[in-house]
Amino acid sequence: MTHSRRTFLQATVSTAATILTQPLLGSAQQSTGFTLPKLPYAVDALEPYIDAKTMEIHHGRHHQAYVDNLNAALKNHPEWLAKPVDDVIRNLTKLPETIREAVRNNGGGHANHSLFWTVMKKDGGQPTGELLKAIETAFGTFEGFQKVFTDAAMKRFGSGWAWLVIGGEKGLSVVSTPNQDTPIMDGKPAPLLGIDVWEHAYYLKYQNKRADYIKAWWNVVNWDTVAANFAAAKRG
Ligand code: MN
């Protein structure tokens, strides 16, 4: 075999090995860390309920900051940078204490906002099918569910989230968490639906009127995504 032929073969094997290992490394996160997901709609798509300026700042600055701070906290821990964020925040106690708080806040922020963008869309509509049945079993009616969820979101003192989760005696339940915490941190499945009640989510348009923001938000809930999350959670 000539030298150039051998070099060619080595190069071919090396390229093939690279291609074969790529799917095993995951898509977005290798050594570069976590990245801001694109909004699945234009920044003004949720007008008039959620204004474009709020979406732009909320996604482009607040969520970006959680991503950047999470990457900074984990910069010396490439094994964690390579995992899905839900796996990272499900295992906070395995992280060094020196970075645990930063990963809790910013990893939670990244996970929560990544879900939040997907559970909204223009012309949200109402739940149907299996999801509606499960909501009626747990809360009596859709309106009954909206009341329980709104109450949880209103009663969250300071900053945090209200969630629709799988679990509880009647199959589905509503919970609330402070700050950027999520039920995932307690080893629970990812929430099906969540609302951000940090002031940064509504202050530009609604100022201190959280109730008005929540009432408007019901118009942009993406029930197709929530139903898909429900189906995935039931599969386990
Ligand atoms: Mn937020």
Side-chain angles (χ1 to χ4, degrees):
M1 190 184 288
T2 64
H3 177 74
S4 62
R5 169 92 176 131
R6 195 160 57 236
T7 307
F8 170 75
L9 279 175
Q10 281 167 347
T12 307
V13 167
S14 164
T15 305
T18 306
I19 291 165
L20 285 171
T21 42
Q22 271 171 351
L24 302 174
L25 293 172
S27 51
Q29 306 115 23
Q30 295 171 21
S31 55
T32 52
F34 296 95
T35 53
L36 182 70
K38 281 203 167 63
L39 276 182
Y41 35 72
V43 288
D44 62 354
L46 308 181
E47 294 261 15
Y49 307 108
I50 300 180
D51 60 291
K53 192 74 184 166
T54 294
M55 286 301 293
E56 206 179 302
I57 295 172
H58 197 179
H59 174 258
R61 298 198 211 160
H62 289 278
H63 190 171
Q64 183 71 62
Y66 296 124
V67 169
D68 292 345
N69 292 335
L70 177 61
N71 286 332
L74 289 172
K75 70 177 189 300
N76 296 323
H77 304 274
E79 72 279 19
W80 290 103
L81 278 177
K83 292 180 196 291
V85 68
D86 284 10
D87 288 357
V88 177
I89 59 176
R90 208 185 292 282
N91 290 287
L92 288 171
T93 56
K94 293 181 185 163
L95 296 170
E97 271 188 58
T98 49
I99 60 167
R100 203 174 290 165
E101 185 76 9
V103 174
R104 180 186 196 116
N105 291 334
N106 295 291
H110 179 38
N112 293 344
H113 289 84
S114 296
L115 172 72
F116 188 54
W117 313 129
T118 67
V119 295
M120 297 187 290
K121 72 167 187 176
K122 187 181 179 65
D123 303 328
Q126 298 218 337
T128 57
E130 290 295 308
L131 176 61
L132 178 61
K133 271 190 225 161
I135 285 173
E136 289 173 344
T137 300
F139 305 99
T141 58
F142 176 59
E143 291 71 26
F145 157 67
Q146 284 185 301
K147 186 175 183 320
V148 171
F149 190 92
T150 298
D151 283 352
M154 284 302 295
K155 285 176 183 158
R156 166 52 51 200
F157 182 76
S159 300
W161 294 75
W163 307 103
L164 173 65
V165 296
I166 201 155
E169 277 175 27
K170 294 183 171 179
L172 294 177
S173 54
V174 166
V175 297
S176 170
T177 54
N179 305 313
Q180 293 298 353
D181 287 358
T182 147
I184 297 170
M185 291 171 181
D186 299 323
K188 307 264 173 57
L192 309 179
L193 170 69
I195 185 170
D196 187 345
V197 294
W198 283 58
E199 283 187 345
H200 71 221
Y202 61 88
Y203 202 86
L204 287 181
K205 185 175 171 73
Y206 297 97
Q207 293 80 47
N208 59 321
K209 293 168 282 194
R210 186 188 287 185
D212 291 356
Y213 156 66
I214 298 169
K215 192 175 172 197
W217 177 81
W218 287 113
N219 291 288
V220 294
V221 175
N222 185 342
W223 289 105
D224 296 336
T225 301
V226 182
N229 293 343
F230 180 52
K234 282 196 298 183
R235 284 197 301 272

